[in-house]
Amino acid sequence: MLEYVMGNGAIALGALAAGVNLVSGYPGTPSSEIIETIYKRPHEGVHLEWSVNEKAALEVAASAAYGGARTMVTMKQMGLNVASDALMSLAYVGVKGGMVVVAADDPGPISSQTEQDTRRYADFCRIPVFDPTSPEEAYQMIQDAFEYSEKYSTPVLFRPTTRVCHAYASIDAAEHTEPKKYEGFVKDSNKWVIFPKLSNANHGMIEKRNVEIGKDFSSYAFNEVQGAKAKGKAVMASGVSYQYAKEALRDCQDVKLIKVGTAYPLPEDFLLEALSGVDEIICLEELSPYIEEQLLKLAGKHHLNIKVSGKLDGKVPANGELSANIAADVLGEFLGIEAAKETLDLSDMPALPVRPPALCAGCPHRAAFYAVKIAMKGKRSYFCGDIGCYTLGNAMPLDMVDTCLCMGAGITMAQGFHWIDEEGTSFAFVGDSTFFASGLTGVVNAVYNEANMILCVLDNSTTAMTGHQPHPGTGFNMQGNFVDKIQIDKILEGIGVKKILAVDPLDLDASVKAVQECCEIKGVKAIIFKSPCIAIAKSKKKAIVNASCTNCKKCIRELGCPALITEDGAVKIDRNLCTGCMLCSQVCPCGALTLEGGGSNE
């Protein structure tokens, strides 16, 4: 059945076609739609879950794979850091059922902290990696990945990048799918319990096996050569960069184009044949120069007289995304030709408006940040942020995020600031989803080590940054079941947090008083700022500016809400954006901002 789907949807459909039994993961752009697609499809017999973090997701899938089930784990590239402890050991233990770890890379980066390259993890863990170039290829390749995983009893990595994940294509998807039948777990402590002796023996086996996989990959369909077998210069590409190269060379059929779909273990036999007669080659790839480095090693190992170009010699940009036009420029210069390139006359196009990312109008996080800012005015404070929408609290005029490192780090970094400056006040801001994913350890560490800090849990009852996925505090899961909500205040109480307050951040006076109260208490304190995400708690309320407005613009200067604008120098409300949260009315010194139609804002 032909379907027009996103690349992530193609991966999901391919996994279902492969008979996947269990899918777990943690939401993260650009991977989130994989699990969401399966959720929306018939998937009877498939266990589906958003796990609390990537490590948990991988370990759930690993045990099922020990029993022979086919499992898939989804995450973004940063999540692989969280899961890497389990993945490294799992690479040594192996699996029985096919297990594919989808780690979607984010060149740019568009929505990530780093441009890390999952292919490096494959090399580091000594497990295979598949690198699709398009949604169509991803659909088939994910099925192949399960087969290779079972054939060699190893977890495998699957590495789509943002433009493959979010591209759309027509996929000839299987109409009826069924989960694989599996044997079940067979107890064998000599196989499934990792000990140094087992690891030593399995490491040797892995190195020998990877040579075999490399030979196997040399005949894999998605490692291929296109164009004439002419001598001289050639182009090698992987991932979406292959599509850019193919487009740029559409009028140059005499140029050899080599596609590498499996970067590790390197398909040496395929490459040696493909490089026959080649004197000079350029590598087009996003993120690190991984294939370029492997080619240099291959040339040295086999004494090939070939010049390898790419990122290492500056012929290809070292950072950021590639594009069809960048590829055309690179290949045009390398080959001395006029490569195909999209050319549009943009001379009369007006300049695009500057649109820096900002918290949504009515976002309760803005109110929480502002309350802390008012309460701590004139006092030495440290504001440690975390990963989520609320990272945008760093923007002016709020300027309330001093640090942001990785998920959960805000809580532990606040403790570090306390130990180097005990006179200052340390705050840690964390979202409800991130609290469950990676915040608990930091809170336990703070209580155990007698830190003095204030934890601000920005609880908007969803995972807003990645598309409003459920989490343990929402009361439902990806199996479609309503479950008991895990209460953040009860967790904090159990850990031993000295003072726990819950407040609506849109009540400015109560929020400021909560912060001030916590400042008077030594030890670990917590304020749960609880108010639903405005993107899911739709509101038709609107604020209006009345005649008492003096145009002091304090509301605009203090809050930076996108719904507060000026027209001809006067403060106005953008009705398309306003949600009637009325935080602005609590900031206005002259009562000029009121709720449309009067009445309460309850």
Side-chain angles (χ1 to χ4, degrees):
M1 181 173 63
L2 207 61
E3 293 190 57
Y4 190 62
V5 296
M6 181 189 281
N8 282 337
I11 294 169
L13 296 178
L16 289 171
V20 71
N21 302 101
L22 180 149
V23 184
S24 56
Y26 187 78
T29 305
S31 72
S32 302
E33 295 85 1
I34 300 172
I35 283 184
E36 291 172 353
T37 298
I38 296 176
Y39 175 73
K40 295 172 184 175
R41 297 284 176 143
H43 58 275
E44 185 178 355
V46 179
H47 174 75
L48 189 62
E49 71 171 56
W50 284 125
S51 306
V52 293
N53 63 25
E54 295 86 355
K55 184 176 187 290
L58 193 138
E59 290 161 353
V60 166
S63 61
Y66 285 1
R70 285 192 165 180
T71 65
M72 180 171 70
V73 191
T74 72
M75 62 193 73
K76 68 186 298 177
Q77 87 282 17
M78 305 300 299
L80 199 53
N81 300 333
V82 180
S84 61
D85 185 24
L87 182 60
M88 177 58 76
S89 294
L90 184 63
Y92 276 62
V93 174
V95 294
K96 183 163 70 175
M99 180 173 172
V100 182
V101 180
V102 181
D105 283 358
D106 185 25
I110 297 172
S111 60
S112 308
Q113 303 100 293
T114 72
E115 283 193 295
Q116 73 183 53
D117 192 328
T118 291
R119 296 174 300 176
R120 300 286 188 190
Y121 261 113
D123 199 330
F124 183 48
C125 295
R126 318 304 284 170
I127 59 176
V129 61
F130 291 78
D131 196 1
T133 71
S134 66
E136 300 96 324
E137 196 167 291
Y139 174 76
Q140 181 57 52
M141 192 179 271
I142 193 77
Q143 298 177 63
D144 298 339
F146 282 108
E147 296 290 341
Y148 273 90
S149 174
E150 288 182 357
K151 181 177 181 179
Y152 292 101
S153 302
T154 180
V156 302
L157 284 166
F158 195 81
R159 183 243 187 190
T161 54
T162 303
R163 299 304 172 187
V164 173
C165 290
H166 291 169
Y168 276 80
S170 294
I171 305 295
D172 190 6
E175 290 192 43
H176 304 290
T177 62
E178 289 186 6
K180 175 197 172 190
K181 292 179 171 59
Y182 51 90
E183 178 186 12
F185 182 64
V186 178
K187 294 188 178 185
D188 183 355
S189 60
N190 291 322
K191 177 173 178 59
W192 303 117
V193 182
I194 191 167
F195 279 112
K197 182 179 179 181
L198 176 68
S199 296
N200 183 276
N202 282 1
H203 187 194
M205 176 276 295
I206 288 168
E207 297 304 332
K208 291 179 182 178
R209 176 204 70 193
N210 283 353
V211 174
E212 184 181 344
I213 296 176
K215 291 184 179 296
D216 199 344
F217 278 163
S218 288
S219 58
Y220 182 51
F222 293 118
N223 292 319
E224 58 180 312
V225 179
Q226 297 179 351
K229 303 298 187 290
K231 295 184 178 182
K233 293 184 177 182
V235 177
M236 184 171 291
S238 67
V240 74
S241 302
Y242 163 77
Q243 300 294 345
Y244 301 150
K246 186 177 179 181
E247 180 175 331
L249 298 175
R250 63 177 181 264
D251 298 325
C252 307
Q253 298 302 311
D254 59 338
V255 176
K256 183 183 289 189
L257 175 58
I258 305 168
K259 179 172 69 171
V260 179
T262 55
Y264 184 85
L266 198 69
E268 283 196 17
D269 293 346
F270 161 75
L271 291 175
L272 289 172
E273 182 178 348
L275 293 170
S276 176
V278 174
D279 303 318
E280 191 173 354
I281 189 166
I282 191 165
C283 298
L284 273 184
E285 54 188 323
E286 288 185 317
L287 301 177
S288 69
Y290 181 76
I291 291 178
E292 185 180 354
E293 291 172 359
Q294 299 310 304
L295 271 184
L296 288 167
K297 291 179 183 178
L298 187 70
K301 177 180 177 180
H302 294 278
H303 307 290
L304 303 179
N305 186 20
I306 182 171
K307 181 180 178 182
V308 179
S309 289
K311 292 176 181 285
L312 294 176
D313 63 356
K315 298 290 177 59
V316 178
N319 64 293
E321 283 191 291
L322 295 180
S323 67
N325 282 350
I326 291 173
D329 289 338
V330 168
L331 296 182
E333 183 175 346
F334 174 72
L335 298 169
I337 61 172
E338 189 68 31
K341 183 176 180 181
E342 182 181 2
T343 55
L344 297 173
D345 183 7
L346 305 177
S347 59
D348 60 346
M349 189 174 99
L352 293 174
V354 177
R355 293 192 182 106
L359 294 169
C360 297
C363 175
H365 298 340
R366 176 181 288 104
F369 281 126
Y370 187 70
V372 175
K373 186 173 186 176
I374 293 300
M376 301 310 295
K377 189 173 183 180
K379 300 175 183 177
R380 190 162 69 249
S381 308
Y382 302 95
F383 305 121
C384 299
D386 221 297
I387 304 301
C389 294
Y390 46 92
T391 310
L392 297 173
N394 75 314
M396 299 300 287
L398 288 175
D399 191 23
M400 285 294 293
V401 176
D402 295 327
T403 70
C404 183
L405 182 63
C406 61
M407 287 192 73
I411 298 172
T412 31
M413 292 184 78
Q415 298 162 46
F417 282 121
H418 162 66
W419 294 123
I420 65 167
D421 182 5
E422 295 190 11
E423 298 303 314
T425 305
S426 295
F427 289 82
F429 296 95
V430 66
D432 45 334
S433 180
T434 302
F435 174 83
F436 290 113
S438 54
L440 297 177
T441 303
V443 179
V444 171
N445 192 73
V447 172
Y448 174 64
N449 286 297
E450 302 177 292
N452 186 26
M453 61 167 286
I454 300 175
L455 171 66
C456 298
V457 182
L458 308 181
D459 184 357
N460 63 2
S461 301
T462 189
T463 313
M465 187 71 163
T466 52
H468 304 103
Q469 292 83 7
H471 61 65
T474 60
F476 62 98
N477 62 25
M478 285 301 282
Q479 287 293 96
N481 300 327
F482 288 98
V483 297
D484 291 336
K485 290 183 180 182
I486 298 178
Q487 304 290 341
I488 294 176
D489 58 342
K490 297 298 184 184
I491 294 173
L492 295 173
E493 182 182 346
I495 291 172
V497 174
K498 288 188 179 297
K499 186 74 175 180
I500 304 163
L501 299 174
V503 65
D504 181 352
L506 296 175
D507 184 339
L508 182 59
D509 184 56
S511 297
V512 170
K513 287 178 179 176
V515 177
Q516 291 170 338
E517 181 179 347
C518 285
C519 286
E520 298 302 316
I521 303 168
K522 293 291 184 183
V524 182
K525 297 80 60 178
I527 305 170
I528 302 173
F529 290 101
K530 190 168 182 62
S531 183
C533 174
I534 199 64
I536 54 176
K538 303 294 185 182
S539 170
K540 294 182 179 179
K541 298 173 183 176
K542 307 292 178 186
I544 56 173
V545 182
N546 62 37
S548 62
C549 179
T550 63
N551 281 319
C552 70
K553 300 184 177 63
K554 182 179 179 182
C555 56
I556 294 176
R557 291 197 316 272
E558 297 276 304
L559 299 177
C561 176
L564 291 165
I565 61 174
T566 59
E567 285 184 5
D568 299 323
V571 175
K572 299 289 184 182
I573 300 292
D574 186 335
R575 292 180 54 80
N576 294 317
L577 296 177
C578 183
T579 62
C581 75
M582 303 314 293
L583 177 63
C584 55
S585 69
Q586 300 170 71
V587 173
C588 179
C590 51
L593 293 156
T594 55
L595 194 62
E596 185 178 65
S600 171
N601 192 37
E602 296 297 320

